Amino acid sequence: MERIEKLEDFRPYAEGGLDPQIVALCNGLTSIRVKTHASCEGHLDHGHSHPWVGINPFSFAKREALKILLEDFNKQSDIKWECATDWVVPVDTSNCPGCTEDNSVKISQEELRLLQESSQQLGQFLFDHRKDDRIK
């Protein structure tokens, strides 16, 4: 069996079925055995204005392991992430600021780009820490 050492080679979700800017985070979550069921890279013209990934319910231990890795990532990132119920989202968007009841957007293209870039960094971080003893 071939060993996969880079996130870009780990492709349970190939681009095409997912928004391109959320693939890395979905793949990173899958690399630590967290199953996803929905995702979005965030859009300025419809839906939510931030990236998010819906995760399947899993054991308390797995949720706590994900939280440990998110805490570690947040120590080194300007944009913080959390596991809010069954969603992995940037901290400031768990109540969807930037989205109104009609899903109109209140953030800029640059803010969305930074959130998308952070989602990719988080995906890489999760992949790089997939063998961390604290999450087994």
Side-chain angles (χ1 to χ4, degrees):
M1 179 177 219
E2 181 182 344
R3 290 186 58 173
I4 298 172
E5 298 297 329
K6 296 188 290 189
L7 180 61
E8 55 267 18
D9 296 332
F10 180 75
R11 301 177 58 91
Y13 298 107
E15 292 181 34
L18 299 176
D19 293 338
Q21 300 298 320
I22 202 68
V23 170
L25 181 52
C26 291
N27 287 346
L29 286 163
T30 301
S31 77
I32 62 166
R33 298 176 309 281
V34 172
K35 295 181 192 236
T36 66
H37 64 79
S39 64
C40 181
E41 67 186 7
H43 301 279
L44 296 178
D45 60 348
H46 67 279
H48 296 289
S49 60
H50 57 82
W52 57 267
V53 177
I55 55 177
N56 289 335
F58 48 89
S59 73
F60 177 78
K62 183 55 83 171
R63 183 178 301 275
E64 290 306 303
L66 175 57
K67 287 181 180 180
I68 288 169
L69 290 180
L70 290 173
E71 287 174 12
D72 288 352
F73 177 79
N74 289 341
K75 290 175 186 172
Q76 67 180 34
S77 175
D78 291 336
I79 297 175
K80 311 304 182 203
W81 289 78
E82 67 181 335
C83 180
T85 315
D86 293 334
W87 306 95
V88 176
V89 294
V91 168
D92 292 337
T93 60
S94 60
N95 292 318
C96 202
C99 299
T100 61
E101 286 184 24
D102 65 355
N103 284 334
S104 60
V105 179
K106 302 287 185 196
I107 70 170
S108 69
Q109 179 68 45
E110 178 62 11
E111 289 170 314
L112 177 57
R113 185 193 66 75
L114 291 172
L115 290 170
Q116 291 170 337
E117 184 178 281
S118 180
S119 77
Q120 294 170 351
Q121 293 166 351
L122 175 56
Q124 183 66 56
F125 181 89
L126 295 174
F127 180 81
D128 291 345
H129 291 82
R130 69 193 182 282
K131 296 178 183 176
D132 189 315
D133 289 335
R134 299 173 300 163
I135 65 166
K136 294 187 181 203

